[in-house]
Amino acid sequence: MTATNTLRLAYGTNGLTDLRLADALALLSDLGYDGVALTLDHMHLDPLAPDLASRTGQLARRLGALDLYVAVETGARYVLDPRRKHHPTLLDPDPDARTARIDLLRTAIRVAADLGATAVHCFSGPRPAGTPEAVAWQRLADALTPVLDAAATARIPLAVEPEPGHLLSDLVGFHRLRATLDAPPADVLGLTLDIGHCQCLEPEPPAACVRATAPWLRHVQIEDMRRGVHEHLPFGAGEIDFPPVLAALRDTGYQGLVSVELPRHSHAGPDLARTSLSFLRATEPAYTATTTGTNIAPGPPRPAARTPEPAGATAPPHPPVPSAGGPRC
C-alpha cells in the first residue's frame, strides 16, 4: 500500500521584513504555501503595541480566509531591547530582564492560541559570562516553568530551538533540558529542529536528526547551510542533501510546518519565497513513502482560531561555529 504524508510548507516572516504583513501573507498564499511562520516583531504583529487582541483577531480572520496554517516564532532581534540583539534572554542575570522574556513568551502563547497556531518557538540564549553551566541550566528550567504552564493551559506546544552559540545549542542540550524539567510531555515542551543547524554542528546527518527527534518534533525550520558555519543560505548554496530530509519528515508522520528560514535575505524575500517553494516541491516527490499495511494519515485540518481575549500585561564534539556575535539569525 502506498501512502503519502504531504508536508506543510511555510515561509518565515523574518525573511519578509521589507513587506507589510498583509502583503507577505498574500504573497505566500498566491505562491501556494500552506502556512507562515510568524515572528512577533514591530514591523508585523507587534506584541508590545496596544490592542494586541484586536489585531490578533483581524490576523486570525485573514489567515482563515487565505487558508494558511501558522506557527508563532519569538526570534525577533530587537523586540525587547533596541540596542542588544536577542536580549534579554531567559538566562539574563537580572531577574527583571528574565521576566521580560518570560512575559513575551506567555504573550506569544496567547497569540498562538488566538490564531489556532501549531506551536510557539523559542530559544535559550547564550550563557552569560561568569555564570556556571549548572546554574545556567537551572535558571533556564526555572524561567521556562511558567511558560510551560501557560502552554499546557492553552494546549499549544512550546517548541525550543537548539541554536549555535546558545546554552541549548544542540539535541543533547534539548534532552538535558527535558531531564532538568522532569520530562514534560512533547505537546507541552517540544522541539524546533532547524535543518541547517543539524548540518552545521550535529554529529549525525540532518535526516538522521529528524528521525531521532520525531517524538518531540513540533516545528521545523529549513534552509541550506555548510558544516561548521552558522550562516543561513538559500537552497543549493550549501551542503545539505535535502531529499532524505524531506523523506524523513514525511515517513515519521510529521504534521507541523516546515518553514523556510532566511532571516538575512529579506531584501530578496519575494523571489526567494518563490524559488524556495519550487525547490522543495520539486524535491519532495522523489521520496514518496511506500509502506505495507500502514496508513500515514494526511494530518488534521488547520486549527480553528479562537475569539481573542484581552491579554494581560557531556555532548559529542562539534566543529567550530561562530560565537554569539558571528553570522546568525
Side-chain angles (χ1 to χ4, degrees):
M1 172 178 185
T2 300
T4 60
N5 181 39
T6 302
L7 299 176
R8 292 176 173 85
L9 302 181
Y11 202 92
T13 60
N14 60 1
L16 295 170
T17 55
D18 291 285
L19 276 66
R20 299 176 183 87
L21 181 56
D23 293 336
L25 297 178
L27 169 72
L28 299 181
S29 177
D30 290 346
L31 288 173
Y33 278 93
D34 304 298
V36 58
L38 172 68
T39 294
L40 301 184
D41 207 350
H42 67 89
M43 76 288 289
H44 288 151
L45 187 65
D46 189 341
L48 304 182
D51 301 320
L52 178 60
S54 175
R55 290 182 287 116
T56 302
Q58 294 173 6
L59 176 56
R61 290 187 288 274
R62 186 58 179 155
L63 290 167
L66 295 173
D67 197 25
L68 288 173
Y69 290 79
V70 62
V72 174
E73 299 195 348
T74 61
R77 294 182 180 95
Y78 297 101
V79 68
L80 293 177
D81 187 330
R83 291 175 174 83
R84 296 186 303 161
K85 185 172 69 172
H86 296 312
H87 280 271
T89 75
L90 295 168
L91 301 174
D92 200 294
D94 181 353
D96 291 337
R98 292 200 301 275
T99 296
R101 178 63 62 172
I102 292 167
D103 287 346
L104 175 66
L105 295 180
R106 289 193 290 200
T107 295
I109 288 168
R110 289 194 294 269
V111 168
D114 292 344
L115 296 178
T118 57
V120 170
H121 147 279
C122 72
F123 46 63
S124 69
R127 175 159 61 105
T131 301
E133 185 177 7
V135 171
W137 280 105
Q138 189 59 53
R139 185 180 293 167
L140 176 60
D142 291 344
L144 282 177
T145 295
V147 183
L148 294 172
D149 289 343
T153 299
R155 298 184 179 181
I156 298 289
L158 183 72
V160 179
E161 179 188 7
E163 181 79 20
H166 284 207
L167 176 70
L168 200 167
S169 63
D170 56 16
L171 297 178
V172 170
F174 172 69
H175 289 296
R176 177 169 179 171
L177 176 63
R178 290 186 63 249
T180 304
L181 288 164
D182 296 326
D187 284 338
V188 176
L189 177 62
L191 173 69
T192 292
L193 188 68
D194 188 303
I195 301 302
H197 295 173
C198 296
Q199 177 71 20
C200 179
L201 54 67
E202 293 291 346
E204 298 295 328
C209 293
V210 170
R211 296 183 186 277
T213 61
W216 303 279
L217 203 53
R218 294 298 178 269
H219 187 48
V220 171
Q221 297 170 344
I222 193 166
E223 70 286 315
D224 218 338
M225 203 169 286
R226 301 185 184 97
R227 186 73 174 165
V229 182
H230 184 199
E231 182 180 5
H232 292 234
L233 300 171
F235 297 115
E239 303 169 340
I240 298 176
D241 183 14
F242 284 99
V245 174
L246 301 183
L249 287 167
R250 188 171 50 251
D251 292 352
T252 55
Y254 174 68
Q255 296 180 358
L257 294 181
V258 180
S259 178
V260 179
E261 178 80 355
L262 292 172
R264 290 178 175 265
H265 293 77
S266 187
H267 62 283
D271 283 341
L272 281 171
R274 175 181 54 81
T275 57
S276 295
L277 184 62
S278 296
F279 176 89
L280 292 171
R281 289 294 187 213
T283 302
E284 186 180 359
Y287 277 74
T288 297
T290 301
T291 61
T292 301
T294 301
N295 181 27
I296 303 176
R302 192 178 73 85
R306 73 180 189 186
T307 301
E309 298 176 359
T314 292
H318 299 316
V321 296
S323 67
R328 46 189 307 237
C329 300

